[in-house]
Amino acid sequence: MISISIIGSGNVAQHLIKAVSKSANLELVQVFARTKENLESLVEPSKIISDYTAFKAADLYLIAVSDNAIAEVSNHLPFNNQLVAHTSGSCALTDLNGNNRRAVFYPLQTFSKNKAVDFSIIPICLEAEQTNDFQVLEQVAHSISNAVFSIDSEQRKSLHVSAVFVSNFVNHLYQLGNELCDTYKVPFDILKPLITETANKIQTLSPQEAQTGPAKRNDTITINKHLALLTDENHKEIYKILTKSIIDHGKKL
């Protein structure tokens, strides 16, 4: 049984709390949170602390806070030579205070507060300074997920940027499409089967092979019609940039 304390109360922290609590191989010792109300439905109140001096001994301390708070939190930890890992995709292992044994435990997924996730299929990217610590991280990761990877800080940065492209940017495009549907009083739900099929195709095809649409065909007549329809200059600019990128990628083949 590996004992774990989690620092944070946001989306990532809450999903990790659920995953750790469900595992027969892991013990949730404590959760550090400035606002206890966020966690009272997930954790026994006696396990929630807001004072750094109240930490009990644990095999692993997971820092699941915003990127800009990781260094500050690690500097406040009142112990030395303990295994401490952050959960960020963009921060380096060395952003943690060197007083403790530094590591990274990065679950590569988009987390929303009220949307359940299947942790068993979430890739968990691990890094540690010491071999023994990496083995502990592996045991923890395998207790909640079937997809565990050794990824160093530089690789993790590239993964995080890639994730922004395929998740955050794509979701923003959903938002723009939704706004356009609202403008013309068309139900956004009509597009959901297309969204699903587009996502499903890359399970068996490469993104290059799955690409379709007027830019792929270099259909300038349709492209110009779309641009004429768009009244928001920001939307037009995004359309032009993405169209050019698709056309340019086609020329590389």
Side-chain angles (χ1 to χ4, degrees), residues 2 19-20 22-26 124 137-146 148:
I2 298 175
V20 170
K22 288 178 182 177
S23 173
N25 301 318
L26 306 175
I124 300 181
L137 293 181
E138 274 192 312
Q139 291 180 57
V140 173
H142 281 297
S143 295
I144 61 177
S145 173
N146 297 320
V148 179

Side-chain angles (χ1 to χ4, degrees), residues 72-91:
E72 179 185 355
V73 168
S74 70
N75 288 337
H76 277 97
L77 296 179
F79 40 72
N80 297 311
N81 199 32
Q82 301 301 310
L83 178 54
V84 176
H86 70 63
T87 60
S88 168
S90 61
C91 293

Side-chain angles (χ1 to χ4, degrees), residues 51 86-88 96 99 120 123 132 186 193 213 238-239:
D51 182 349
H86 70 63
T87 60
S88 168
L96 293 168
N99 290 338
S120 68
N132 290 344
V186 178
I238 292 171
Y239 187 101

Side-chain angles (χ1 to χ4, degrees), residues 14 32 40 48 56 148 157 160 167-168 196 213 240 251:
Q14 291 188 30
F32 181 96
E40 287 179 341
I48 305 173
K56 296 179 181 178
V148 179
K157 285 179 185 177
H160 195 258
S167 177
N168 305 137
T196 300
K240 289 177 182 178
K251 291 176 181 177

Side-chain angles (χ1 to χ4, degrees), residues 28-249:
L28 182 65
V29 178
Q30 290 174 310
V31 178
F32 181 96
R34 298 192 183 280
T35 308
K36 292 186 178 183
E37 291 75 16
N38 292 347
L39 301 176
E40 287 179 341
S41 63
L42 300 177
V43 186
E44 295 175 24
S46 62
K47 290 187 175 182
I48 305 173
I49 62 172
S50 56
D51 182 349
Y52 284 104
T53 63
F55 272 113
K56 296 179 181 178
D59 297 315
L60 171 64
Y61 297 85
L62 283 177
I63 299 179
V65 299
S66 62
D67 289 0
N68 58 8
I70 288 173
E72 179 185 355
V73 168
S74 70
N75 288 337
H76 277 97
L77 296 179
F79 40 72
N80 297 311
N81 199 32
Q82 301 301 310
L83 178 54
V84 176
H86 70 63
T87 60
S88 168
S90 61
C91 293
L93 177 148
T94 52
D95 287 355
L96 293 168
N97 191 303
N99 290 338
N100 286 293
R101 302 183 335 259
R102 299 178 291 193
V104 178
F105 189 96
Y106 171 46
L108 202 170
Q109 185 54 277
T110 173
F111 294 102
S112 297
K113 184 177 180 180
N114 297 317
K115 176 67 171 63
V117 297
D118 180 1
F119 235 101
S120 68
I121 62 172
I122 294 177
I124 300 181
C125 305
L126 307 177
E127 183 181 12
E129 291 180 305
Q130 300 181 23
T131 301
N132 290 344
D133 290 337
F134 187 87
Q135 292 171 348
V136 172
L137 293 181
E138 274 192 312
Q139 291 180 57
V140 173
H142 281 297
S143 295
I144 61 177
S145 173
N146 297 320
V148 179
F149 300 88
S150 174
I151 302 290
D152 65 31
S153 290
E154 284 303 307
Q155 291 172 318
R156 192 170 56 257
K157 285 179 185 177
S158 69
L159 265 179
H160 195 258
V161 174
S162 299
V164 168
F165 272 103
V166 304
S167 177
N168 305 137
F169 287 172
V170 169
N171 190 74
H172 182 64
L173 294 178
Y174 293 160
Q175 181 183 352
L176 298 186
N178 196 353
E179 291 171 359
L180 193 60
C181 284
D182 287 344
T183 299
Y184 289 92
K185 296 181 171 50
V186 178
F188 182 68
D189 282 353
I190 293 176
L191 293 174
K192 289 183 179 178
L194 174 62
I195 292 170
T196 300
E197 176 60 17
T198 302
N200 287 342
K201 277 202 294 187
I202 61 167
Q203 301 300 325
T204 54
L205 300 175
S206 71
Q208 183 68 49
E209 291 171 324
Q211 187 68 58
T212 61
K216 172 70 173 180
R217 301 188 301 270
N218 201 13
D219 181 352
T220 56
I221 293 175
T222 300
I223 290 168
N224 288 332
K225 286 179 180 178
H226 289 171
L227 289 171
L229 179 73
L230 296 171
T231 56
D232 186 296
E233 290 302 319
N234 186 50
H235 293 179
K236 280 190 176 184
E237 191 62 28
I238 292 171
Y239 187 101
K240 289 177 182 178
I241 290 171
L242 291 177
T243 295
K244 183 178 186 302
S245 182
I246 293 170
I247 292 172
D248 288 348
H249 273 72

